[in-house]
């Protein structure tokens, strides 16, 4: 079982619709959860972070976390063509092999295509 | 936001040669730097974590003698791929954090370096 799992997609949504991206993780000790957006050939850029159960909203983006189900999601409202990218879910926990330094584990990403 | 640069952005080298990649934090002190590798259509894989002035901590399966990391100052870390082979061709990305050992909201990514080994 992968530590962080995402559906690779592509997920196609029409412009203006809501895009729903999902992620599950295996380690219950995970502490922090992030969503990154990565355009082809570019490095990731942070969109949202979430640390506690529930919803967190930032503009058109809403992150949802359910630690009991080990599930984190990202909703993008009013999707725009410029949102077309790969969305990476990332999970952080303390790295037991490095004296407490945190380790980020990324999912393989979901490719989102917003169709004009 | 904080800025992290990488140099070079793209490098092509012959098999057997060594390649050095620089990662710089331009407007903050990067106490901790992370090095990642990303193969096509795959996720970012953490290779190592380095703290300024200390030896890097490598992830399991990453050869420390092949991927030399130096974090000699609070603004610069280097990754040297020694005796590069075609299978080392990848997208190498660094990130920097101003908080020692932490990779949370304080982690800022560099633009990446595309390495191609012929």
């Amino acid at each position: 079982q992968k530590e962080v799992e995402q559906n690779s997609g592509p997920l196609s949504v029409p412009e203006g619709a809501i895009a729903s991206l999902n992620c599950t993780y295996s380690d219950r000790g995970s502490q922090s959860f992030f969503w990154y957006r990565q355009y082809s050939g570019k490095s990731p850029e942070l969109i949202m972070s979430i640390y506690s159960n529930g919803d967190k909203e930032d503009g058109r983006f809403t992150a949802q976390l359910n630690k009991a189900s080990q599930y984190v999601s990202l909703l993008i409202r009013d999707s725009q063509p410029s949102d077309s990218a790969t969305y990476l879910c990332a999970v952080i926990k303390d790295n037991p092999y490095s004296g407490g330094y945190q380790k980020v584990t990324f999912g393989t990403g979901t490719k989102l295509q917003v169709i004009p | 936001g904080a800025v992290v640069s990488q140099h070079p952005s793209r490098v092509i080298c012959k098999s057997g040669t060594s390649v050095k990649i620089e990662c710089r934090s331009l407007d903050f002190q990067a106490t901790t730097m992370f090095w990642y590798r990303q193969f096509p259509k795959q996720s970012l894989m953490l290779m190592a974590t380095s703290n300024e002035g200390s030896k890097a901590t490598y992830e399991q399966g990453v050869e420390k003698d092949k991927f030399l990391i130096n974090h000699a100052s609070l603004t610069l870390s280097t990754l040297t791929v020694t005796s590069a082979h075609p299978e080392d061709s990848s997208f190498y990305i660094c990130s920097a954090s101003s908080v020692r050992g932490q990779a949370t909201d304080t982690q800022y990514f560099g633009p990446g370096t595309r390495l191609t080994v012929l």
Side-chain angles (χ1 to χ4, degrees), chain A residues 9-61:
Chain A
L11 171 67
S12 296
V13 300
E15 183 174 357
I18 295 175
S20 178
L21 304 163
N22 304 315
C23 171
T24 57
Y25 60 95
S26 61
D27 191 334
R28 287 192 174 274
S30 301
Q31 301 154 296
S32 311
F33 308 87
F34 300 83
W35 283 99
Y36 288 87
R37 177 173 62 197
Q38 186 176 27
Y39 294 109
S40 181
K42 304 294 184 181
S43 63
E45 54 180 317
L46 182 66
I47 296 177
M48 293 280 289
S49 60
I50 187 166
Y51 302 96
S52 55
N53 282 328
D55 295 0
K56 179 181 177 182
E57 186 175 319
D58 183 0
R60 295 188 295 114
F61 300 96

Side-chain angles (χ1 to χ4, degrees), chain B residues 33-50:
Chain B
M33 285 190 172
F34 304 87
W35 286 95
Y36 296 87
R37 179 168 54 182
Q38 186 176 35
F39 293 107
K41 299 190 186 303
Q42 294 188 25
S43 187
L44 278 77
M45 297 297 295
L46 178 66
M47 298 175 68
T49 303
S50 73

Side-chain angles (χ1 to χ4, degrees), chain A residues 32 34 36 38 41-46 49 51 56 88 92 95 97-98 100-104 106-109, chain B residues 34 36 38 42-44 46 49 51 57 59-60 91 93 100-105 107 109-112 114:
Chain A
S32 311
F34 300 83
Y36 288 87
Q38 186 176 27
K42 304 294 184 181
S43 63
E45 54 180 317
L46 182 66
S49 60
Y51 302 96
K56 179 181 177 182
L88 303 173
I92 287 180
N95 187 343
Y97 300 106
S98 61
Y101 299 137
Q102 294 183 333
K103 174 180 177 179
V104 184
F106 285 85
T108 53
Chain B
F34 304 87
Y36 296 87
Q38 186 176 35
Q42 294 188 25
S43 187
L44 278 77
L46 178 66
T49 303
N51 292 300
T57 299
E59 294 299 304
Q60 290 183 333
F91 191 44
I93 307 173
R100 190 175 187 90
Q102 290 198 8
T104 56
D105 297 40
Q107 179 179 208
F109 283 88
R114 176 78 57 191

